[in-house]
Amino acid sequence: MSRNKKPSIEAGSSGSRRAFLRSSIAAGGALVAGSSSARAQSDTAITQVQDWARRLGKGVDRTAYGQPSPHEKDVVRRHVEWLTPSVQTAVNFTPLHELDGIITPNGLCFERHHAGVAEVEPDKYRLMINGLVERPLVFTLDDLKRFPRRNQINFLECAANTGMEWRGVQLNGCQFTHGMLHNVMYTGVPLRLLFEAAGLKTSARWVMAEGADASAMNRSLPMSKALDDCMIAFKMNGEALRPEQGYPARLVVPGWEGSLWVKWIRRLEIGDEPWHSREETSKYTDLLANGKSRRFTWEMDCKSVITSPSPQAPVKHKRGQTVITGLAWSGRGTIARVDVSLDGGRNWVAARIDGPSLDKSLHRFYYDFDWNGEAVLLQSRAVDSSGYIQPTKAELRQVRGTNSVYHNNSIQTWYLKKNGEVENVEIS
Ligand SMILES: Nc1nc2c(c(=O)[nH]1)N[C@H]1C(S)=C(S)[C@@H](COP(=O)(O)O)O[C@H]1N2
Ligand SMILES: [Mo]
């Protein structure tokens, strides 16, 4: 499947590159002003009074939940037909190419279920803490809402995100290659407070988090992480969790792989060793080149992707001022810098990070450039606050082989063609 495309693109020296950038900024301004002034003389969309200004607008909606403009009807989650044999053991993908900033709107957060969306009744919702505790406890939702709350913005990435690209290029669009990712502000109760209420025994080392859905999805979590920054969330971006995201409550495990973020959470059992459940043995382990499996790859490595231009977000103009934008994130902290390459990784220029730089949260970056209309091999490379540099696909394969599905955090290449179309390619 891999297509080793290597259009010949000149790699300029850094001196001439600086000169190019300087002149391109000036030229970019002129180009935009040029096309805009042509428009000012001939464009009836600005000279004529439009229909929407001739009559009163639609009245205030007095009851309903607000919806996006009908013109945005294509901004939706999508799935890949061959990937999901049933709608219950399924995944869909966040339309990253349509979004900006760092927050994922609730209705666009990708979903991953092992047994469909559990329809939990909030009145009958219960969370139990048992095992190595002084006082086993059962909380209602109202009980949980009486504990002191915390707000935090965190990304959730499924370990399988970009997994289909391990062996070669497969999917044309960052929605499909990178869209098992969302970034949400959660409101909830720190696990530490709930465990204090139950009283941990001195032998308490591990937590088993179990969901109320039919898969009873469960994972083992080390106590140190649980006490550090995990919480039971009941709100996302200010409103109640969506059913798809675990209504009425889910586990938040900042920076760690998505399968640990148990939805519809019903039980936290405290133990002194891990449980080695299905989702941490036969699944969510990494098969290495020597046939051995790596277990407990919890932290999500530093990663980035250009979200536009990208295969689903082609460039519509012929040349001139162009916004390159994307996302960068790391399970180990914040993003220190993002570099962008226009020539498949030979030369790099620093991108501009804009918006909040928060721990274990998506970061938004921009690179504003003057496109000369020629083919470009676009890449982004992130460096996190621990100093870790996002690897190339070749570097990752050297260490991990090609048997893996999970934890592919390699640099993505988009081939921007002269006609503005963008294709997913791999360069060697
Ligand atoms: N109870 C339960 N929790 C679950 C799952 C599940 O199937 N059941 N899927 C897990 C996986 S594999 C991922 S990647 C995330 C996905 O979270 P999302 O659906 O909010 O995107 O939830 C995790 N929590
Ligand atoms: Mo996942």
Side-chain angles (χ1 to χ4, degrees):
M1 289 294 294
S2 98
R3 257 166 288 170
N4 296 328
K5 281 226 172 69
K6 213 173 189 178
S8 59
I9 289 173
E10 284 296 311
S13 74
S14 61
S16 67
R17 171 157 297 272
R18 255 198 309 278
F20 165 77
L21 286 175
R22 241 196 327 271
S23 64
S24 67
I25 287 164
L31 270 170
V32 167
S35 53
S36 310
S37 62
R39 219 169 267 151
Q41 284 155 35
S42 61
D43 193 347
T44 55
I46 185 67
T47 54
Q48 288 180 353
V49 178
Q50 302 297 314
D51 280 352
W52 55 80
R54 290 181 192 279
R55 62 182 78 97
L56 287 175
K58 210 169 140 264
V60 167
D61 197 323
R62 292 186 169 99
T63 51
Y65 193 93
Q67 298 296 320
S69 159
H71 301 284
E72 302 297 317
K73 64 179 190 325
D74 291 336
V75 184
V76 290
R77 301 184 277 218
R78 289 187 178 81
H79 75 292
V80 173
E81 205 70 54
W82 54 262
L83 193 63
T84 40
S86 91
V87 289
Q88 270 88 25
T89 51
V91 62
N92 60 21
F93 301 89
T94 306
L96 298 176
H97 60 292
E98 297 275 13
L99 303 179
D100 216 314
I102 62 166
I103 295 292
T104 316
N106 289 343
L108 297 176
C109 288
F110 87 95
E111 308 164 52
R112 170 79 182 100
H113 316 302
H114 290 79
V117 179
E119 292 168 282
V120 177
E121 290 173 38
D123 290 351
K124 290 194 192 155
Y125 173 80
R126 298 290 183 273
L127 173 67
M128 177 158 97
I129 299 181
N130 69 323
L132 299 175
V133 289
E134 303 297 341
R135 297 167 291 280
L137 295 173
V138 174
F139 302 100
T140 64
L141 194 56
D142 286 339
D143 292 340
L144 290 177
K145 288 179 176 172
R146 292 173 61 187
F147 280 85
R149 290 174 205 172
R150 197 168 68 198
N151 287 292
Q152 58 194 50
I153 299 180
N154 290 121
F155 74 82
L156 182 165
E157 184 183 16
C158 175
N161 199 24
T162 325
M164 288 83 80
E165 304 285 309
W166 257 111
R167 291 169 196 210
V169 166
Q170 270 213 87
L171 299 167
N172 237 350
C174 69
Q175 177 164 23
F176 307 113
T177 56
H178 291 75
M180 286 193 232
L181 176 70
H182 51 63
N183 202 55
V184 161
M185 177 181 279
Y186 296 97
T187 309
V189 182
L191 276 192
R192 184 175 50 78
L193 298 182
L194 299 179
F195 289 170
E196 274 168 14
L200 292 177
K201 295 206 165 145
T202 50
S203 53
R205 292 283 178 282
W206 288 82
V207 182
M208 191 271 288
E210 178 188 75
D213 54 332
S215 76
M217 167 99 195
N218 67 327
R219 291 278 324 245
S220 309
L221 187 68
M223 184 59 80
S224 54
K225 177 67 174 173
L227 295 177
D228 177 22
D229 60 358
C230 294
M231 65 174 182
I232 302 293
F234 41 80
K235 302 270 180 179
M236 60 191 290
N237 294 329
E239 64 179 3
L241 291 188
R242 292 290 169 89
E244 306 92 290
Q245 266 67 48
Y247 180 86
R250 90 176 302 168
L251 185 60
V252 169
V253 190
W256 287 24
E257 63 183 11
S259 63
L260 287 149
W261 295 53
V262 173
K263 302 190 275 193
W264 314 289
I265 186 148
R266 71 184 290 270
R267 199 159 67 89
L268 296 162
E269 185 175 332
I270 314 300
D272 55 4
E273 54 184 9
W275 275 257
H276 293 116
S277 67
R278 175 184 183 270
E279 307 297 343
E280 53 201 19
T281 51
S282 79
K283 297 284 181 285
Y284 297 101
T285 54
D286 307 309
L287 185 56
L288 302 175
N290 65 6
K292 287 199 173 177
S293 263
R294 192 170 78 159
R295 71 166 182 173
F296 295 153
T297 314
W298 294 309
E299 269 175 340
M300 298 310 290
D301 287 317
C302 174
K303 186 165 169 180
S304 72
V305 66
I306 291 172
T307 53
S308 176
S310 64
Q312 298 158 286
V315 180
K316 290 178 188 142
H317 49 269
K318 298 276 173 242
R319 62 183 61 80
Q321 197 171 22
T322 304
V323 174
I324 296 175
T325 186
L327 294 165
W329 62 99
S330 168
R332 294 196 185 82
T334 56
I335 294 297
R337 63 180 286 149
V338 180
D339 296 315
V340 165
S341 176
L342 308 172
D343 56 12
R346 285 178 211 152
N347 292 279
W348 295 92
V349 280
R352 179 168 60 84
I353 293 175
D354 192 81
S357 170
L358 300 168
D359 199 36
K360 302 173 183 106
S361 163
L362 294 187
H363 290 56
R364 172 62 59 177
F365 68 85
Y366 297 97
Y367 180 63
D368 306 290
F369 96 122
D370 184 12
W371 184 36
N372 63 9
E374 294 299 317
V376 171
L377 283 171
L378 281 172
Q379 295 186 336
S380 66
R381 177 183 68 187
V383 182
D384 72 13
S385 49
S386 77
Y388 176 101
I389 304 171
Q390 185 184 2
T392 63
K393 229 183 198 183
E395 285 167 343
L396 199 62
R397 282 185 184 136
Q398 253 173 24
V399 182
R400 304 262 304 279
T402 50
N403 292 328
S404 274
V405 173
Y406 306 109
H407 297 280
N408 175 2
N409 67 316
S410 61
I411 290 172
Q412 171 69 43
T413 313
W414 301 129
Y415 175 33
L416 166 61
K417 302 177 201 173
K418 280 182 170 188
N419 65 4
E421 283 173 11
V422 183
E423 201 183 317
N424 180 6
V425 297
E426 201 174 289
I427 49 175
S428 49

